[in-house]
């Protein structure tokens, strides 16, 4: 088989630290991990120790106020559904942005069908949020602001500290989708006034698929449990318990996956988030630098070196459909990228690319400079050959 040059890390990271695979293997092969918080025998306690340690590591990574405020879910989509449907009501007005993924938009549209209203902060021609929109859209019934930390289309990051301060000033709940930024950019829930952070485990946290979570800030929020069932305690109550982390963890946890996620977080800690962030920015800007003058290329978002970003470069080549271009990259060069709409319809509408889509290259800390140079050279060759 020809070598695969994988640049679809915003969808999921393909290469994981060896320790992640080993952790998942041992979680099963060693036969020591039972069902956490479901018994007092050693297997159940081992699983409980693992999940509690991971809550602590997660809270540290995100600057969360309390490890007990971290709950684990299957992915960011599950987290966002649990949070948005458990917290918001048909009486609420919600401010969100046109950079959101369908994991935010579709739950909000469901709430809209029930009577809630939604307003969208727009972007300028570089894909940067138009910050005055937040005040312009504010209404007396506004209850929450939901923001994508880093766009999965442009990679550009929102200024969470600014938006968090705006939310505090106006008594709004601040919910952040950190799917593309967790493990890439600094997140400090206290400093950035984040009330709810939703994350996924299988992208830049290098965990296995089927892992993710919710981290709550220090302000009490009244959630309705959306998924209910076994909790392991208060079994005779008809009502599902509302305390964290049980609130979001009905049923058996993916402990084997969480063992892998824990190793992913260790990798980030060992390498250092700041070093990873710098490396990813270097890869992104190097790629951008080498392709920006290819005849017919159209690039989306801001590549200014002082702009915080996730490692994403989305582009089009004049005369090419994004699906055809990504097929050619794969067939001729073994390059894996993601064409189309990236489940983010509104940002594509903002850029006028709803028909063509875009070709998205996205990098991980396992990509090398040589791979970046190969990708840039291949794209140039395709553009020149037409
Ligand atoms: C910005 C954003 N939000 C949410 C998601 C959903 O993540 P998951 O598929 O892990 O639930 C993605 C996935 O690509 C994303 O990019």
């Amino acid at each position: 088989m020809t070598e695969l040059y994988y640049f679809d890390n915003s969808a999921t990271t393909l290469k994981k630290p060896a320790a992640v695979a080993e952790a998942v293997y041992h979680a099963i092969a060693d036969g020591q991990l039972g069902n956490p918080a479901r018994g007092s025998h050693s297997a159940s306690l081992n699983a409980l120790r693992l999940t509690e340690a991971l809550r602590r590591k997660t809270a540290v990574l995100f600057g969360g106020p309390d490890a007990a405020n971290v709950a684990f879910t299957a992915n960011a989509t599950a987290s966002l559904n649990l949070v948005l449907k458990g917290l918001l009501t048909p009486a609420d007005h919600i401010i969100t942005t046109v950079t959101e993924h369908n994991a935010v938009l579709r739950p909000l549209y469901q709430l809209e069908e029930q009577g809630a209203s939604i307003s969208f902060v727009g972007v300028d021609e570089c894909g940067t949020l138009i910050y005055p929109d937040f005040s312009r859209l504010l209404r007396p019934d506004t209850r929450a602001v939901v923001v994508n930390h880093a766009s999965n289309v442009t990679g550009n990051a929102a200024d969470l500290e600014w938006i968090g301060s705006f939310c505090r000033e106006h008594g709004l709940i601040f919910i952040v989708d950190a799917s593309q930024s967790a493990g890439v950019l600094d997140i400090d829930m206290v400093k950035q006034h984040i009330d709810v952070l939703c994350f996924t485990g299988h992208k830049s946290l290098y965990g296995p698929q089927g892992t993710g979570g919710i981290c709550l800030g220090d302000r009490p929020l009244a959630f309705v449990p959306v998924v209910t069932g076994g909790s392991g305690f208060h079994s005779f109550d008809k009502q599902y318990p509302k305390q964290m982390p049980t609130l979001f963890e009905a049923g058996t946890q993916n402990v084997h996956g969480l063992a892998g996620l824990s190793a992913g977080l260790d990798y980030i800690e060992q390498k250092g988030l700041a070093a990873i962030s710098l490396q990813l920015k270097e890869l992104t800007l190097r790629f951008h630098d080498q392709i920006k003058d290819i005849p017919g290329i159209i690039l989306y978002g801001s590549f200014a070196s002082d702009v915080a970003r996730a490692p994403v470069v989305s582009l089009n080549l004049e005369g090419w459909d994004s699906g055809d271009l990504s097929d050619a990259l794969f067939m001729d060069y073994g390059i894996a990228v993601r064409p189309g709409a990236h489940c983010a319809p509104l940002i594509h509408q903002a850029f006028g690319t709803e028909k063509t889509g875009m070709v998205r290259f996205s990098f991980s800390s396992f990509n090398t400079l040589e791979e970046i140079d190969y990708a840039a050279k291949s794209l140039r060759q395709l553009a020149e050959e037409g």
Side-chain angles (χ1 to χ4, degrees), residues 6 8-13 180 200 202-203 209 338 360 362:
Y6 186 81
D8 197 13
N9 294 285
S10 287
T12 197
T13 45
Q180 296 295 343
T200 205
H202 65 101
K203 297 184 195 276
Q209 295 176 358
R338 172 89 185 273
R360 181 183 71 187
S362 52

Side-chain angles (χ1 to χ4, degrees), residues 10-11 75-78 80 101 103 148 150 152 177 179-180 200 202-203:
S10 287
N75 48 40
T77 303
L80 287 159
H101 188 276
N148 189 357
N152 62 318
D177 173 4
S179 297
Q180 296 295 343
T200 205
H202 65 101
K203 297 184 195 276

Side-chain angles (χ1 to χ4, degrees), residues 58-59 62 64-66 69-71 189 195-199 213-217:
T58 308
F62 297 140
D66 189 346
N69 281 8
V70 177
M189 291 187 66
D195 292 305
V196 186
L197 188 87
C198 296
F199 62 96
I214 297 165
C215 191
L216 298 186

Side-chain angles (χ1 to χ4, degrees), residues 204-243:
S204 299
L205 295 180
Y206 300 99
Q209 295 176 358
T211 59
I214 297 165
C215 191
L216 298 186
D218 49 9
R219 291 202 296 186
L221 295 172
F223 283 93
V224 173
V226 173
V227 178
T228 64
S231 55
F233 63 97
H234 293 323
S235 294
F236 291 93
D237 292 355
K238 286 188 176 175
Q239 304 288 322
Y240 188 76
K242 287 188 177 168
Q243 67 256 45

